[in-house]
Amino acid sequence: MDKINLNTPAGNSSIIFQEDGLQAVKKWIDDKYPSSRIVIITDTNVGAIYQTQLANTFSGALALSVQAGENTKRLASVKQLATELINDEITRSDIIIGVGGGMVTDLAGFIASIYMRGITFIAIPTSLLAMVDAAIGGKTGVNLEAKNILGTFYPAELILLDPLFLNSLPDREFKNGLAEVIKYAATLDSSLVEDLMKDEVELLTILQKSAQAKTKIVNDDFKESGLRKVLNFGHTFGHAIESISEYQLLHGEAVAIGMIYANKVAQNLNKQAPEVGDKIKELLDKYHLPTEIPSGFRVEDLVEFIKKDKKRSGDKITFVIAPEMGKYEMVELSAEELIKLIQ
Ligand code: GLY
């Protein structure tokens, strides 16, 4: 498999898998949009490594760089970047390519979706987390008070998943992405367990299987009215843990702990055999992902966060569990019920 299609009411994405894939992106643009100008949005970390390669491939492109870090994912950056687009006379028939981790692809996708009411967007994720999750599925956004409060559903027309970018990724960031792959193994594709248990993971295989799992869900429920919530396995507690740690824990690390909580809930509901929870923990342990809340954390604080979060989205929490490896079930629980189930 070298290509997957995502088909949504807001447009379609082609996801291509290719080592050294920048040339393939260039060719795609030359074939489809030969007279468009190209804007590359990246951050200071990714730019420092790939600037020359990007400039050589997309010669003449307008290269814009933002400060690396989640703090950049805000309206001030949107305004600054959009002003640069205006100053450079970028029009509606031009193209924005976001090259970077989830922060960059979310931010660049958001700008592409609103600049002159929407211009073509291409995503080149460079972190494992962005490759297997953030860059696929059309969610864009910036933070305001909370994460992703301002955002759009705007699929990238082309997404390049190139495992060679992962060579420059720090080990902790790589494992951060593996937590989301373990999420797919637990809820959507049990064949990933075998892939993840190998001494050396085959990157192309896990990228393809993860992208396949995610696109299958997003194809059926683009705007998250139901099914797409399965992608939140481990995220109810994960988001709480991530936020309470003040983002000292990475997203995947927090989700890893959240998956352990999800197993506890499932087992207390008599909906998961202990072997299933043990297998998920074994995978997390193999990649040295955390499985316990750090010392100093109070369960009461997690509960408070979840309750507050609920105020934004309604009474009951749609909580995702994995009754069997590679299967999912959604249970509706109040925050109070959820608290009892993690004791
Ligand atoms: N990251 C979850 C989703 O794309 O829906």
Side-chain angles (χ1 to χ4, degrees):
M1 177 208 322
D2 54 8
K3 188 174 156 197
I4 295 179
N5 293 320
L6 173 73
N7 302 315
T8 84
N12 301 334
S13 302
S14 290
I15 305 169
I16 56 169
F17 305 86
Q18 196 161 326
E19 289 192 350
D20 257 329
L22 289 183
Q23 278 303 338
V25 174
K26 171 82 169 69
K27 181 168 182 324
W28 183 92
I29 295 172
D30 288 345
D31 289 348
K32 203 162 175 196
Y33 299 108
S35 46
S36 294
R37 290 183 63 202
I38 298 171
V39 180
I40 296 172
I41 298 180
T42 190
D43 71 13
T44 44
N45 283 348
V46 173
I49 307 171
Y50 296 110
Q51 196 175 27
T52 311
Q53 209 177 326
L54 288 165
N56 289 343
T57 310
F58 304 104
S59 58
L62 170 65
L64 302 175
S65 177
V66 292
Q67 182 60 42
E70 186 70 14
N71 195 32
T72 296
K73 213 177 110 171
R74 56 195 166 108
L75 270 179
S77 311
V78 176
K79 189 175 172 200
Q80 178 207 322
L81 289 165
T83 306
E84 301 202 51
L85 299 183
I86 296 165
N87 291 344
D88 240 83
E89 297 176 2
I90 297 301
T91 71
R92 214 169 162 184
S93 52
D94 295 328
I95 297 173
I96 290 181
I97 310 181
V99 188
M103 183 283 279
V104 170
T105 56
D106 279 8
L107 173 66
F110 184 59
I111 293 166
S113 74
I114 56 173
Y115 185 73
M116 298 193 174
R117 299 201 174 86
I119 73 174
T120 300
F121 176 52
I122 295 175
I124 305 185
T126 56
S127 72
L128 183 58
L129 189 66
M131 287 187 193
V132 298
D133 187 19
I136 301 176
K139 282 185 180 175
T140 80
V142 293
N143 306 330
L144 185 74
E145 306 286 330
K147 279 182 92 170
N148 300 320
I149 290 292
L150 299 175
T152 53
F153 285 99
Y154 195 74
E157 265 194 53
L158 182 71
I159 302 166
L160 166 68
L161 299 193
D162 177 348
L164 290 190
F165 282 114
L166 300 175
N167 290 342
S168 60
L169 196 67
D171 188 52
R172 188 174 172 205
E173 285 293 343
F174 184 71
K175 287 174 179 150
N176 184 31
L178 278 179
E180 294 285 353
V181 181
I182 294 170
K183 174 191 83 177
Y184 295 130
T187 52
L188 293 168
D189 182 356
S190 61
S191 78
L192 272 165
V193 174
E194 205 181 307
D195 300 311
L196 289 165
M197 289 308 288
K198 289 189 177 147
D199 288 340
E200 206 154 315
V201 285
E202 284 162 25
L203 287 174
L204 212 48
T205 307
I206 64 162
L207 290 181
Q208 287 170 338
K209 287 189 181 179
S210 299
Q212 184 100 55
K214 181 151 185 186
T215 47
K216 243 164 117 178
I217 296 296
V218 177
N219 273 338
D220 287 344
D221 179 21
F222 181 49
K223 291 222 168 157
E224 197 167 322
S225 42
L227 182 64
R228 188 166 178 162
K229 292 191 175 130
V230 67
L231 301 172
N232 294 337
F233 179 65
H235 285 59
T236 305
F237 285 100
H239 282 148
I241 294 164
E242 192 183 4
S243 165
I244 291 166
S245 82
E246 291 176 348
Y247 298 92
Q248 294 308 302
L249 280 180
L250 301 178
H251 178 74
E253 293 168 342
V255 167
I257 305 169
M259 289 193 261
I260 297 292
Y261 275 98
N263 293 340
K264 204 163 181 174
V265 170
Q267 289 178 20
N268 283 335
L269 286 168
N270 286 325
K271 282 178 180 279
Q272 186 196 65
E275 303 83 77
V276 177
D278 291 348
K279 191 46 129 186
I280 295 171
K281 181 163 183 313
E282 190 183 336
L283 288 171
L284 298 171
D285 285 340
K286 178 169 192 287
Y287 293 104
H288 306 287
L289 282 158
T291 53
E292 281 173 24
I293 51 171
S295 58
F297 264 59
R298 297 175 342 133
V299 173
E300 293 78 9
D301 293 339
L302 296 184
V303 168
E304 272 316 303
F305 181 95
I306 290 169
K307 275 191 184 157
K308 226 171 62 205
D309 208 32
K310 265 311 90 193
K311 288 214 187 91
R312 278 200 273 267
S313 55
D315 272 354
K316 292 261 183 178
I317 295 159
T318 305
F319 194 83
V320 187
I321 56 171
E324 288 171 45
M325 209 64 192
K327 298 264 185 307
Y328 64 87
E329 189 179 324
M330 298 189 208
V331 283
E332 298 290 320
L333 298 167
S334 66
E336 289 70 24
E337 286 166 321
L338 194 58
I339 296 154
K340 284 201 193 108
L341 288 163
I342 57 163
Q343 305 303 327

